Amino acid sequence: MRVTPSNLNLRGTTLIYSRIAGTGSYLPEKVVTNADLEKLVDTSDEWIASRTGIRERRMAAEGETTGDLAFYAATHALEAAGTKASELDLIVLGTTTPDIIFPSTACLLQHRLGANGCAAFDVNAACSGFMYALGIADQFIRTGQVKKALVVGAETLTRMIDWSDRSTCVLFGDGAGAVVLEASAEPGILTTKLHADGAYKHLLYNPVGVSAGFRDEPNHGVRVIMGGSEVFKVAVRTLDRIVGETLEAAGMQEKDVDWLIPHQANLRIIEATAKRLGLSMDRVIVTIDRHGNTSSGSVPLALDEAVRSGKVKRGQTLLLEAFGGGLTWSSALLKY
Ligand code: UT7
């Protein structure tokens, strides 16, 4: 018999789950519409909307950092959970756009929140950053080492975009989302799945860095390079696989899922995953039209919006998934 949380019966042992106690998010004020981008590159609202589903995205103000976005999202999540920052045992933050090289944005956030002393670190898994952070925090809680964890996905992707490259500059936006996880006897996160395949590095990457060196180019050569249509195909294939793997690990079926909360990279990828699950689009949380692709911020932003709008309710089953540079892909099945 396959072992699942429900049939694993350890006599005298209480299973510990991690449960989402509260969610929060933050979007910068400045809205950049497709019409704004028509003035920058040879593109059109029609092309962007029909190929991606994006109509507008947010852009951080000058001087506004990933850490700022993370702070506001985290503050909202802590408020929603009724948790004081000083109660946190762990902060894990997914980002590819940290404020500075070190200390980690998680450490900067920890100090700003007043959670000094707890473990705090960043995870770089590109667009899967929040999902990886969630999977890691879940493991810490399940083993009993941590009782309360703050998990954040935060990005200022617009800072690493080549604004003359129409194939990437229309896609990305800035934003952050966060959840407070707490130990619970009730489920909770049922399973998380994390994958990567570095053989696909060339399909989505930023070519410069500290050790590889920066370049004598605009913005020191910092830019996103993506083989869009190849990434698209791998994304559809791997997400198709991982949702099946995730349901099987939890002993559940497609019909048990109340809401799909997917990474917001392309509406056509989201629709393919929904179709694979047999879910109509009114059971899928879509924010890409207003947020664009906020990388690590995308899933927790969508989750928080769905919770605050009243769509997602306590006790419902949520399937979260993400896909990004690495390539990485990841998922979580949980009872909210
Ligand atoms: O979050 C991380 C993971 N990322 C993803 O999952 C992204 C996956 N990929 C995609 O979402 C899509 O591949 C894109 C939206 C990036 C591109 O859509 P596509 O339908 O795959 O287009 P394409 O790259 O095959 O390009 C089709 C045409 C090309 O012109 P030609 O060669 O057919 O004449 C491009 O030059 O569209 C052109 N094009 C544009 N045209 C107007 C590319 N970007 C633009 C643009 N505006 N912004």
Side-chain angles (χ1 to χ4, degrees):
M1 184 175 68
R2 205 161 31 79
V3 175
T4 68
S6 51
N7 66 24
L8 181 64
N9 184 12
L10 302 176
R11 206 168 295 143
T13 306
T14 310
L15 275 176
I16 307 172
Y17 293 95
S18 55
R19 180 184 152 271
I20 294 179
T23 66
S25 62
Y26 179 77
L27 288 163
E29 270 173 35
K30 185 177 176 184
V31 175
V32 179
T33 64
N34 291 349
D36 294 329
L37 295 175
E38 284 176 358
K39 294 174 201 145
L40 271 187
V41 286
D42 179 15
T43 191
S44 65
D45 175 48
E46 196 283 326
W47 191 96
I48 303 169
S50 64
R51 301 281 181 132
T52 70
I54 301 168
R55 298 204 171 268
E56 59 185 44
R57 71 290 288 145
R58 299 295 181 101
M59 186 188 271
E62 208 181 321
E64 192 174 35
T65 65
T66 294
D68 293 327
L69 275 49
F71 174 72
Y72 299 127
T75 303
H76 294 151
L78 287 164
E79 273 168 19
T83 301
K84 292 195 204 86
S86 57
E87 295 174 64
L88 293 172
D89 307 307
L90 172 69
I91 298 175
V92 194
L93 186 148
T95 192
T96 39
T97 47
D99 285 23
I100 52 177
I101 290 162
F102 72 88
S104 67
T105 306
C107 285
L108 305 180
L109 174 65
Q110 182 220 48
H111 178 54
R112 204 162 156 190
L113 288 171
N116 303 59
C118 74
F121 58 93
D122 287 359
V123 176
N124 179 348
C127 298
S128 292
F130 172 79
M131 300 298 302
Y132 265 60
L134 190 74
I136 292 165
D138 178 49
Q139 298 303 319
F140 270 100
I141 288 180
R142 276 175 188 255
T143 58
Q145 279 203 50
V146 160
K147 289 209 164 40
K148 288 183 193 277
L150 175 67
V151 183
V152 187
E155 302 276 11
T156 45
L157 249 289
T158 63
R159 296 268 159 74
M160 61 155 84
I161 292 302
D162 174 356
W163 290 101
S164 65
D165 177 7
R166 70 175 183 175
S167 70
T168 52
C169 78
V170 302
L171 303 174
F172 296 99
D174 301 332
V179 300
V180 174
L181 286 186
E182 63 182 19
S184 163
E186 300 295 318
I189 294 181
L190 302 170
T191 189
T192 59
K193 295 283 169 194
L194 312 178
H195 291 283
D197 189 345
Y200 291 110
K201 171 234 157 193
H202 60 288
L203 288 184
L204 181 49
Y205 66 107
N206 188 322
V208 298
V210 177
S211 193
F214 292 92
R215 292 181 190 164
D216 189 15
E217 291 173 9
N219 207 20
H220 309 289
V222 174
R223 65 189 188 283
V224 174
I225 299 174
M226 178 164 71
S229 54
E230 291 92 337
V231 172
F232 187 101
K233 283 177 217 144
V234 185
V236 171
R237 214 169 45 234
T238 50
L239 291 173
D240 183 283
R241 244 192 354 252
I242 202 171
V243 296
E245 180 194 352
T246 309
L247 288 168
E248 195 189 328
M252 294 179 100
Q253 294 176 347
E254 284 79 353
K255 65 173 173 49
D256 300 321
V257 176
D258 291 304
W259 292 100
L260 172 65
I261 305 187
H263 174 46
Q264 312 280 323
N266 189 311
L267 185 59
R268 290 181 290 142
I269 298 177
I270 295 173
E271 286 168 346
T273 310
K275 192 171 169 201
R276 152 74 178 80
L277 288 166
L279 285 181
S280 61
M281 285 303 286
D282 57 6
R283 286 167 63 200
V284 181
I285 303 301
V286 175
T287 58
I288 189 169
D289 51 329
R290 289 157 292 120
H291 300 177
N293 181 348
T294 57
S295 185
S296 290
S298 121
V299 171
L301 264 162
L303 172 64
D304 185 51
E305 191 174 294
V307 167
R308 285 175 194 263
S309 70
K311 280 186 176 173
V312 164
K313 296 184 177 53
R314 284 285 173 200
Q316 289 187 322
T317 302
L318 315 183
L319 181 54
L320 281 46
E321 48 86 342
F323 181 89
L327 294 173
T328 56
W329 59 103
S330 46
S331 67
L333 188 72
L334 59 96
K335 287 266 178 217
Y336 175 66

